[in-house]
Amino acid sequence: WSSQRHRFTTNLNSSLLRTLENDQPVSSTKSKTVKLYQSLSAKTKARSQHQMTILEGHRLIIDTLSDANTRKLYRDVLVTRQALEHPQLGDKLSLQLERIMNDDDGKCNVRLASDNVIRAACDTVNPQGVVALVDIPPSYEPHHGGDAKDGENGTSSKLYLLFDGISDPGNVGTLLRSAKAVGVE
């Protein structure tokens, strides 16, 4: 079974690599793409203006691509060959990148990149070889007032805070302040 699984993941990685190599890999640290990543990484104003941010690393990208709601936010992914061949996470990353590449909306580009490009695009000291541009999701705006309904099924959109088993009264104040900040009435 182990060799069969290894053969499957190797085929998956090879298939994705062949697909990505057919497109032009990003190799210049001076490209518009890299400059956008750098701008979003360094400047809050740029993130606010473009309504985009950067995600870095295998686990964060695998986890957010695994969820249908966060997968919709992806616009661009740069990945190295080494990231796709990572012994523990390469097959999971490849599977999620294949999924987003085959999505119907086609809003996300997935491109192979050199190590230098990834280093230039990332904010971390030792990047893991995968970085993505994602839309910043809209803020949750709770409806305030009487009978606010949210959608066809008539569900209320009010937020509630429930306490259970609070052992330290100091935690209550923190919870109340946090709740107020997000619109709990």
Side-chain angles (χ1 to χ4, degrees):
W1 167 251
S2 177
S3 66
Q4 190 176 22
R5 183 174 181 271
H6 176 72
R7 191 171 37 250
F8 169 73
T9 58
T10 302
N11 289 339
L12 177 65
N13 290 343
S14 298
S15 170
L16 180 61
L17 276 171
R18 275 194 305 277
T19 302
L20 292 175
E21 286 172 341
N22 285 338
D23 293 335
Q24 186 66 33
V26 180
S27 58
S28 172
T29 59
K30 302 202 184 300
S31 69
K32 287 182 182 178
T33 300
V34 173
K35 288 183 183 206
L36 178 59
Y37 275 85
Q38 290 171 333
S39 174
L40 292 172
S41 178
K43 300 175 186 164
T44 304
K45 185 177 179 181
R47 290 189 295 274
S48 180
Q49 178 184 358
H50 291 284
Q51 283 299 293
M52 293 171 67
T53 192
I54 296 176
L55 301 180
E56 298 180 37
H58 283 89
R59 292 193 192 280
L60 181 59
I61 290 177
I62 290 167
D63 288 349
T64 52
L65 283 174
S66 297
D67 180 82
N69 292 320
T70 53
R71 188 171 45 249
K72 294 179 208 172
L73 301 173
Y74 273 74
R75 295 296 165 250
D76 191 71
V77 179
L78 299 176
V79 62
T80 62
R81 173 183 288 277
Q82 291 80 9
L84 294 172
E85 294 172 344
H86 187 277
Q88 288 84 30
L89 300 171
D91 57 335
K92 292 178 184 177
L93 179 62
S94 295
L95 184 66
Q96 295 305 327
L97 292 176
E98 288 260 350
R99 176 184 280 174
I100 200 165
M101 289 170 67
N102 294 328
D103 273 356
D104 292 335
D105 64 9
K107 289 188 207 175
C108 182
N109 294 316
V110 178
R111 295 174 288 172
L112 208 53
S114 68
D115 288 333
N116 288 337
V117 165
I118 296 293
R119 273 193 294 280
C122 286
D123 195 21
T124 54
V125 176
N126 297 311
Q128 295 179 18
V130 59
V131 60
L133 290 179
V134 296
D135 289 336
I136 295 173
S139 298
Y140 174 74
E141 296 290 333
H143 296 289
H144 294 286
D147 295 327
K149 300 293 178 186
D150 181 36
E152 298 135 30
N153 61 4
T155 59
S156 174
S157 62
K158 290 183 180 180
L159 292 175
Y160 297 93
L161 175 64
L162 303 174
F163 296 101
D164 181 32
I166 300 291
S167 59
D168 181 357
N171 293 337
V172 174
T174 302
L175 290 169
L176 290 173
R177 285 188 297 277
S178 297
K180 183 174 179 169
V182 297
V184 173
E185 294 179 7

